[in-house]
Amino acid sequence: MALNVISLYDLLKSIPTEDDIKTLLFSFKTLGSQDSAGADDVEYFLHNKSIQFEKMDLARTYLVMSTYKSKPILVGYFSISNKPLTIPNRQFRKLSNNLKKKLLGVGFKTEQSSYVVKGYLLGQLGKNFSNEAILANCCNGNDLLQIAYKKVAEAHRIVGGRILYLECENVEKILNFYKANGFNQIEDYESENGYCMMIKQLKDII
C-alpha cells in the first residue's frame, strides 16, 4: 500500500482553519509501555507543539499518510530540525579518546571547548497506533526512518551537514532499533533530559 508524505507546513499554508488540521493530528495515538514514557512525548508533540514549531520555524513535521477502506489515515510522522549537535566541554571530556577523535573528524571545538558538528536533529519519530492505523498495517518504524532519510538527504543537498542525530530513552528495545538502523550511541553521554544520544553520519544516508 502506497505511503504519501505531507508537510505540516504546506497544510498550514493551504488550509484556512487549523481545526481540520488538528482533527488529523489528534487521530495519532501512541502505544504506552511500562518501560518507556517517551511515547507520550511523541503524541504530545504532534497534538500540542507541532503547529507552534512550524510557525516559529523550529522544526518541520511530516505526516505519513495511507488509506484504509478508501479513507485517508495518518499512519505515522516525524519531525526534523536543522540544528547542530553541541556537546558541552564537561560532557566531551568524559568521552573516550577514541570517540573524541572520531567526533572531531566530523566536527570542531569552539572557543569555549564545546564540541559542535553541523547536522540535523530527528526530533520525533512515531507510528500511529490508532485502531484504523493498526488495521491498515502498512507502516513500521523502519519505513518511517527511510522516509525521514529522504527528507534529510534533500536538505543536505541544499545546505550541507555531517550527521543525523537524535535523543532517546535508555530503553533496550529503543536503542536496539536505532542501532539496527546504523546509529551509533555516544557512550557515557546523557542529555539534560537524561536521554541517550544516537548519531549517524550523513554519508551513510545520502
Side-chain angles (χ1 to χ4, degrees):
M1 190 176 296
L3 297 174
N4 297 314
V5 183
I6 300 176
S7 164
L8 180 56
Y9 178 85
D10 291 339
L11 279 182
L12 290 169
K13 292 292 185 180
S14 61
I15 298 179
T17 62
E18 292 183 7
D19 288 343
D20 291 338
I21 298 175
K22 289 180 178 179
T23 298
L24 175 61
L25 301 184
F26 273 78
S27 71
F28 180 91
K29 305 295 180 184
T30 54
L31 185 64
S33 171
Q34 292 182 343
D35 298 328
S36 171
D40 292 335
D41 293 337
V42 173
E43 181 178 301
Y44 183 84
F45 177 86
L46 187 62
H47 290 179
N48 301 287
K49 290 185 176 181
S50 58
I51 291 178
Q52 179 186 5
F53 272 47
E54 290 289 345
K55 292 179 177 179
M56 297 178 67
D57 291 323
L58 294 176
R60 291 288 180 252
T61 294
Y62 295 91
L63 309 177
V64 181
M65 306 292 299
S66 187
T67 57
Y68 177 68
K69 294 184 177 179
S70 302
K71 176 185 175 182
I73 58 169
L74 175 65
V75 295
Y77 89 96
F78 58 91
S79 67
I80 301 171
S81 300
N82 181 12
K83 182 179 180 180
L85 168 63
T86 301
I87 300 178
N89 184 44
R90 67 181 185 279
Q91 292 273 19
F92 191 79
R93 283 182 295 159
K94 296 178 182 179
L95 305 179
S96 68
N97 290 332
N98 185 45
L99 181 55
K100 288 178 184 177
K101 289 180 181 179
K102 288 182 179 179
L103 291 175
L104 288 172
V106 293
F108 61 92
K109 296 292 288 293
T110 67
E111 293 181 358
Q112 293 76 32
S113 295
S114 295
Y115 165 77
V116 177
V117 57
K118 299 294 184 181
Y120 303 89
L121 169 64
L122 182 61
Q124 305 290 341
L125 181 83
K127 177 182 175 180
N128 191 0
F129 284 92
S130 70
N131 291 334
E132 287 185 328
I134 292 174
L135 289 172
N137 191 30
C138 59
C139 179
N140 58 37
N142 292 325
D143 296 327
L144 293 176
L145 263 182
Q146 292 301 318
I147 296 171
Y149 290 162
K150 292 179 181 179
K151 290 299 179 184
V152 171
E154 290 175 10
H156 176 268
R157 285 194 291 271
I158 299 171
V159 299
R162 302 298 297 272
I163 64 168
L164 174 64
Y165 70 101
L166 59 93
E167 296 181 0
C168 68
E169 292 177 287
N170 188 13
V171 175
E172 185 176 4
K173 182 178 180 180
I174 298 173
L175 293 174
N176 288 342
F177 168 74
Y178 286 113
K179 288 177 180 178
N181 280 280
F183 283 83
N184 293 304
Q185 182 180 357
I186 300 181
E187 301 292 344
D188 301 319
Y189 178 89
E190 186 176 276
S191 71
E192 293 180 357
N193 298 321
Y195 288 162
C196 300
M197 182 71 70
M198 310 290 291
I199 63 174
K200 184 171 185 174
Q201 293 193 42
L202 292 185
K203 66 180 181 62
D204 297 326
I205 297 174
I206 59 178

